[in-house]
């Protein structure tokens, strides 16, 4: 079983859980903000019954582990188990050795920092193949047995927990700042998961496609793919160029196109993650460092 584990993934998950737990203790708990998922349930239990969130996180996830063992697969189960236990351990450490972060009672700053730390921590955990249990396992179960999308399940559950937090310990003001923190956290998770190599994908339709492709290849040293296309109305066959470039090269490639053919049709879209030669590999197909 140990052969299935990549230790760099374990280290990444541990770093992510430490960041997540730090933000959770020093911003959510310290300033009584809510949170979605099972973490949100531990906050409800803490502020209404005084129960330890580190312990409750483990207890709440035990049924999920039992239900999700076969569904997750051995490697994912191990990473999820590591993430869940590590989160509880770091929660206990940061609760025991917490220190005050003076934000002058500015709840907007608190919400922003809470979202950034929790989003960054979870994004790292997800990027290394782990989870902190809870809603992720539940979402997979709902998808398998009821056909619900994972996004729908997670959103519904998070919304319910935040609403329950409002009905139990959050006032209206704290509720608003909780929503800000959850939104920021979601955006940060997306940013971390999108990867280091966000880029732009460019489609070019022009009768001068050969000249444009040559300039991109020779002067920008970027690969170009020629696709066969056909206009729906005219039924005319056309050559379509497609290339992917880093964000900072978008202006340069547009200037090349405009210089060669000012009337070219150009469509530029965001590429959330990209790997391969020129981005993560060099010309010899070796990883870039």
């Amino acid at each position: 079983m140990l052969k299935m584990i990549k230790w760099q993934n374990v280290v990444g998950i541990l770093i992510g859980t430490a960041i997540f737990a730090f933000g959770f203790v020093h911003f959510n708990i310290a300033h009584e903000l809510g949170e979605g998922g099972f973490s949100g349930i531990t906050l409800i239990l803490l502020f209404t019954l005084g129960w330890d969130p580190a312990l409750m996180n483990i207890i709440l996830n035990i049924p999920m582990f039992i239900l999700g063992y076969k569904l997750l697969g051995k490697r994912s189960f191990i990473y999820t188990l590591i993430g869940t236990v590590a989160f509880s351990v770091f929660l206990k450490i940061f609760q025991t050795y917490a220190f005050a972060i003076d934000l002058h009672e500015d709840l907007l700053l608190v919400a922003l920092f809470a979202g950034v730390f929790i989003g960054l921590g979870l994004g790292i955990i997800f990027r290394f193949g782990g989870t902190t249990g809870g809603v992720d396992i539940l979402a997979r179960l709902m998808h398998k047995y009821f056909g619900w999308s994972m996004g729908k399940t997670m959103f519904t559950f998070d919304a319910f927990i935040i609403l329950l937090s409002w009905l139990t310990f959050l006032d209206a003001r704290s509720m608003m700042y909780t929503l800000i923190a959850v939104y920021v956290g979601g955006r940060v998770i997306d940013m971390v998961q999108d990867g280091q190599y966000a880029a732009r994908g460019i489609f070019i339709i022009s009768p001068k496609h050969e000249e444009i492709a040559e300039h991109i290849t020779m002067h920008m040293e970027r690969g170009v793919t020629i696709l066969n296309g056909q206009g729906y109305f005219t039924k005319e066959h056309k050559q379509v160029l497609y290339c992917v470039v880093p964000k900072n090269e978008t202006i340069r490639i547009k200037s090349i196109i405009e210089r060669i053919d000012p009337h070219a049709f150009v469509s530029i879209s965001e590429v959330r993650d990209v790997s391969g030669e020129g981005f993560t590999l060099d010309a010899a197909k070796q990883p870039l460092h």
Side-chain angles (χ1 to χ4, degrees):
M1 185 174 289
L2 291 177
K3 292 181 180 179
M4 300 171 89
I5 299 175
K6 294 182 179 180
W7 294 105
Q8 62 267 34
N9 286 36
V10 173
V11 172
I13 292 169
L14 292 177
I15 292 172
T17 52
I19 295 171
F20 180 14
F22 180 89
F24 193 74
V25 169
H26 290 88
F27 301 109
N28 292 77
I29 293 178
H31 298 273
E32 297 190 15
L33 290 184
E35 176 60 33
F38 276 34
S39 302
I41 297 178
T42 65
L43 288 173
I44 294 173
L45 296 174
L46 170 65
F47 292 122
T48 57
L49 300 173
W51 292 358
D52 181 12
L55 177 61
M56 294 313 302
N57 180 64
I58 295 292
I59 293 175
L60 289 172
N61 274 291
I62 288 175
M64 292 296 100
F65 287 143
I66 295 172
L67 292 172
Y69 174 72
K70 292 184 179 180
L71 179 65
L72 290 174
K74 291 183 178 179
R75 178 181 294 176
S76 294
F77 177 79
I78 292 171
Y79 288 158
T80 297
L81 184 62
I82 292 171
T84 305
V85 174
F87 179 57
S88 286
V89 170
F90 282 120
L91 275 181
K92 179 57 68 175
I93 292 173
F94 290 130
Q95 283 179 283
T96 304
Y97 301 101
F99 55 89
I101 300 177
D102 187 10
L103 296 177
H104 304 289
E105 298 302 319
D106 187 336
L107 279 184
L108 179 58
L109 283 178
V110 171
L112 293 175
F113 276 110
V116 168
F117 272 86
I118 291 176
L120 179 60
L122 285 174
I124 293 172
I125 293 168
F126 296 156
R127 194 166 177 80
F128 283 95
T131 73
T132 54
V135 183
D136 182 73
I137 298 176
L138 181 64
R140 296 189 191 200
L141 291 170
M142 295 298 287
H143 177 70
K144 179 177 181 180
Y145 294 108
F146 298 99
W148 286 28
S149 70
M150 291 186 64
K152 178 181 178 181
T153 302
M154 296 178 78
F155 175 80
T156 302
F157 191 86
D158 285 349
F160 173 75
I161 295 303
I162 293 173
L163 177 61
L164 187 60
S165 299
W166 183 34
L167 296 175
T168 52
F169 74 93
L170 288 178
D171 56 26
R173 182 167 177 259
S174 296
M175 174 67 171
M176 292 296 101
Y177 286 114
T178 293
L179 294 176
I180 292 174
V182 171
Y183 174 78
V184 172
R187 297 297 298 169
V188 174
I189 289 173
D190 289 342
M191 289 173 60
V192 175
Q193 287 195 290
D194 284 346
Q196 182 180 358
Y197 300 102
R200 293 288 184 265
I202 304 176
F203 286 97
I204 308 161
I205 302 176
S206 168
K208 299 181 179 180
H209 61 273
E210 288 284 354
E211 187 178 352
I212 293 173
E214 182 180 357
H215 272 72
I216 294 173
T217 303
M218 298 299 294
H219 299 290
M220 296 188 63
E221 298 183 349
R222 292 293 173 187
V224 180
T225 300
I226 300 179
L227 308 174
N228 291 317
Q230 177 180 311
Y232 173 75
F233 183 76
T234 64
K235 307 302 181 185
E236 179 184 352
H237 288 276
K238 300 179 180 181
Q239 302 291 339
V240 182
L241 302 181
Y242 179 70
C243 63
V244 177
V245 299
K247 290 180 181 179
N248 60 348
E249 294 184 7
T250 305
I251 300 299
R252 185 180 173 193
I253 200 170
K254 286 177 66 177
S255 67
I256 289 175
I257 297 168
E258 289 173 0
R259 186 171 65 250
I260 297 173
D261 182 5
H263 304 291
F265 177 85
V266 181
S267 173
I268 302 176
S269 58
E270 184 176 0
V271 177
R272 306 297 292 272
D273 199 1
V274 59
S275 60
E277 185 176 343
F279 291 92
T280 59
L281 302 176
D282 61 20
K285 309 297 183 183
Q286 297 299 311
L288 292 170
H289 299 290

